Amino acid sequence: MSLGIGQPVPDFTASATGDTTFSLSEQKGHQVVIYFYPRANTPGCTTEGGDFRDRQDAFATANTLIVGVSRDGLRAQQNFRAKHGFTFDLIADKDETVCQLFDVIKLKKLYGKEHLGIERSTFLIDAEGRLAREWRGVKVPGHAQEVLEAAQALHAAR
């Protein structure tokens, strides 16, 4: 299934850090950034998470929540969050339910071998639950700032 810009994002509920569950429907009234990363505690994913963490206050000012998603288990996500001081929740999507909803599982190559993995992607959902922007095949440098500017512009347009 492919989500289109302006379309409602189907509700989902998933296990998240802090012994919580994250439900998209419970975030109505807030913009939501959902970013998908391949694996906790790897250099690119750590940098990306830190970039979002460092802009947390600016996202909050723009009425925007941040949540990260990977296929790591809950314990790995908890450790990743604690180790790097992330102030937002991380979803443990071991069964790939959320990944499939956003169509981020792609065929990737690593050391000449093909495997299915998460394509680094980010989605901005507006306060009514519609997809406002998407970024696929993300390169980490500058990405969190670009997402922040999009969230600020969306918030200002309300």
Side-chain angles (χ1 to χ4, degrees), residues 20-38:
T20 63
T21 54
F22 178 91
S23 293
L24 185 61
S25 60
E26 292 176 5
Q27 313 313 316
K28 286 267 168 75
H30 294 281
Q31 296 176 170
V32 180
V33 167
I34 301 177
Y35 79 96
F36 291 84
Y37 57 95

Side-chain angles (χ1 to χ4, degrees), residues 104-136:
V104 298
I105 301 294
K106 303 292 180 188
L107 193 60
K108 299 169 83 175
K109 274 192 176 172
L110 184 64
Y111 306 119
K113 295 189 183 212
E114 291 186 334
H115 69 283
L116 288 174
I118 291 180
E119 175 186 52
R120 194 180 303 278
S121 304
T122 302
F123 300 86
L124 175 58
I125 301 167
D126 71 16
E128 284 75 44
R130 294 183 305 261
L131 183 62
R133 290 278 307 269
E134 68 177 15
W135 295 263
R136 294 182 179 271

Side-chain angles (χ1 to χ4, degrees), residues 80-110:
F80 186 42
R81 182 177 186 234
K83 180 177 180 180
H84 299 288
F86 297 156
T87 50
F88 47 84
D89 283 323
L90 302 175
I91 290 174
D93 192 30
K94 283 184 80 76
D95 65 2
E96 299 179 1
T97 302
V98 182
C99 289
Q100 289 175 11
L101 176 65
F102 287 89
D103 191 29
V104 298
I105 301 294
K106 303 292 180 188
L107 193 60
K108 299 169 83 175
K109 274 192 176 172
L110 184 64

Side-chain angles (χ1 to χ4, degrees), residues 61-77:
T61 299
N63 191 36
T64 305
L65 305 172
I66 302 166
V67 64
V69 182
S70 77
R71 299 185 301 178
D72 294 293
L74 200 50
R75 175 176 278 152
Q77 297 286 50

